[in-house]
Amino acid sequence: MTRYIRRIAAFFLLLLAALLVNSARIQLVEADSLDRNPANRRATVARYAEPRGPILVDGKAVTGSRDTRQPLRYERTYTQGPLYAPVTGYASQTYGTTLLENAEDALLSGTDPMLAPFPFWHEITRSRQPGGQVATTIKGAMQRAAYDGLAGRRGAVAAIEPFSGRILALVSSPSYDPGLLSGTGTAVTDAWTRLTGDSAQPMLDRAIRQTYPPGSAFKIVTAAAALDAGTVTDVAAPTDIEEPYVLPGTATVLPNEAEGCDRASLEYAIRWSCNSVMAGLGVRTGLTGMLDTARKFGFNDSGLRIPSGVAASHFDTEMSDDQLALSSIGQFDTRATPLQMAMVAAAVANGGELKYPYLVDRTLAADGRVVSRTGQRTYGRTMNPLTANRLRRMMIDTVEDGTATNAAIDGATVGGKTGTAQHGVGNSGLPYAWFIAWAQAGNSGRPAVAVAVVVEDAAADRADISGGGDAAPIARAVMEKALGR
């Protein structure tokens, strides 16, 4: 009898072991695939069962959560949603996440392992912590100045602290309220249909996800390449580039909007934006030199993240000389995001050293414990320090007595460059008005801000000065806030 009892006991022990093995298999091996199964609603319910952590500007939350008392309990809310949409993106129960809401989703939703009290806590318990906090580098006053300056016109503003890489403002216009997409139901789907079907594309983050021909603002890159390559040794000396300038290998004359460009010096060409001189210098520097300098500034980098992904700015790797001439004045296939052009201005302001731009200063747990800090890092050296000093002086001259006088600020040193980028078939479209600049307080040893502004639908003629008329006042307003005005 005892023998049979032992056999039965052994059989039940075997069954128990099999159950334990199967349970371990489900929890450890198949857990992720079960979580991702579309038929499994538990993960979705759990995701919205607790409030989402806030995104902070100037230490104050610009996002929140609303208790709906529904199965998907907490919906995202946004304070001044259109103002900060290019920074936060949206967190939607229907359409997912974008921008910071996407890049920092694990921390904001409470699933980041760094929030756990012990290593592997989430993996073992399958639980989540209260959502963490994301403190941005954005300065609210600068963001507001840029937003109000664009006043609903299509365009964008990006501002960077040159010596650190901190992004101080990131505005896209027209904008939208991300709170309209937070929940579920017909109101959300109707808002999505309306926003995605709008010809003005309010959901497009023009500051980091749209590239434009940079026009004459790109001439700063060309000047850096020409100086570093030794194409120009004396910025005040006349060049031998004649006006009219005929594009190499063609019969096409490249026009100048400015006067006095015949054999003009580099400093005159930057101050008054001579197309002929800058196109000629780009060709003489050569594709290799131009491409090398453009890459140092960040062009053709498809991996730039702030931590949201940034569209790659573009400078062709293969061109004929006539195409290189046009590319050297920011036309042909050359394209740049506003953030990229702010990086160009920042590199000049910072003595040629370009800092990697970043949008998140630090992340915190719900109780305020610091989880991580973003360390400053160098993107690279874009040019020789002497070249940077020469470009600083030329950009200052452009503001003091050139095409960018609208950007001048009393008591501060300001350097800038206007630009007008033509587009459309036969340049039939209204030009894009560009302005890039940097500002330094009179009593400071380092620049406070570098900024880039583009206005898509500028009511401007095709003169380079249009960038000074449409975009420079917006840049000035942003720089004044950076200087504490």
Side-chain angles (χ1 to χ4, degrees), residues 71-273:
L72 303 184
R73 185 167 177 178
Y74 286 94
E75 289 182 2
R76 195 58 147 164
T77 60
Y78 296 87
T79 303
Q80 303 178 81
L83 175 62
Y84 292 110
V87 176
T88 63
Y90 59 77
S92 171
Q93 294 175 353
T94 305
Y95 299 107
T97 57
T98 58
L99 300 178
L100 271 190
E101 294 278 28
N102 176 265
E104 299 291 348
D105 182 63
L107 183 121
L108 293 167
S109 63
T111 60
D112 191 324
M114 295 296 291
L115 295 173
F118 306 106
F120 305 110
W121 178 263
H122 288 158
E123 289 80 357
I124 296 170
T125 64
R126 311 295 296 175
S127 65
R128 65 177 65 207
Q129 300 298 114
Q133 308 173 62
V134 174
T136 71
T137 57
I138 295 294
K139 297 299 181 183
M142 295 174 64
Q143 186 82 358
R144 172 58 69 180
Y147 184 83
D148 289 348
L150 285 169
R153 292 176 292 176
R154 298 186 195 185
V157 178
I160 301 173
E161 191 174 60
F163 65 87
S164 68
R166 292 162 56 93
I167 297 174
L168 305 177
L170 206 61
V171 170
S172 178
S173 177
S175 190
Y176 72 104
D177 183 358
L180 296 173
L181 306 175
S182 291
T184 59
T186 57
V188 170
T189 56
D190 288 347
W192 176 268
T193 300
R194 183 174 68 255
L195 290 170
T196 56
D198 191 330
S199 60
Q201 296 181 283
M203 294 176 67
L204 172 62
D205 193 338
R206 290 171 163 87
I208 63 172
R209 296 284 174 84
Q210 177 69 15
T211 60
Y212 303 88
S216 293
F218 187 81
K219 291 173 182 175
I220 297 300
V221 178
T222 301
L227 287 167
D228 272 1
T231 307
V232 174
T233 56
D234 183 351
V235 298
T239 63
D240 59 356
I241 300 173
E242 298 180 353
E243 182 185 30
Y245 180 79
V246 180
L247 294 178
T250 77
T252 303
V253 174
L254 183 65
N256 284 310
E257 299 291 347
E259 296 180 354
C261 291
D262 184 39
R263 297 181 175 84
S265 66
L266 176 59
E267 63 178 11
Y268 186 94
I270 290 294
R271 183 184 301 177
W272 296 107
S273 210

Side-chain angles (χ1 to χ4, degrees), residues 406-467:
N406 279 346
I409 300 172
D410 289 341
T413 301
V414 179
K417 180 70 187 80
T418 56
T420 301
Q422 299 176 354
H423 74 290
V425 178
N427 297 326
S428 59
L430 285 173
Y432 299 136
W434 275 96
F435 188 68
I436 63 172
W438 52 269
Q440 182 171 329
N443 59 354
S444 175
R446 59 189 184 186
V449 63
V451 61
V453 179
V454 63
V455 182
E456 286 188 34
D457 49 359
D461 59 26
R462 282 171 171 72
D464 273 303
I465 202 169
S466 67

Side-chain angles (χ1 to χ4, degrees), residues 356-402:
Y356 200 101
Y358 64 98
L359 186 57
V360 175
D361 180 66
R362 63 193 183 281
T363 60
L364 309 98
D367 60 6
R369 171 179 58 89
V370 175
V371 175
S372 68
R373 292 185 185 275
T374 303
Q376 299 176 18
R377 53 191 174 120
T378 298
Y379 186 91
R381 174 154 289 282
T382 60
M383 68 193 95
N384 185 287
L386 177 60
T387 296
N389 287 337
R390 288 171 167 176
L391 283 174
R392 278 174 58 96
R393 185 66 254 172
M394 285 187 275
M395 292 180 75
I396 292 170
D397 290 343
T398 302
V399 172
E400 291 181 348
D401 182 28

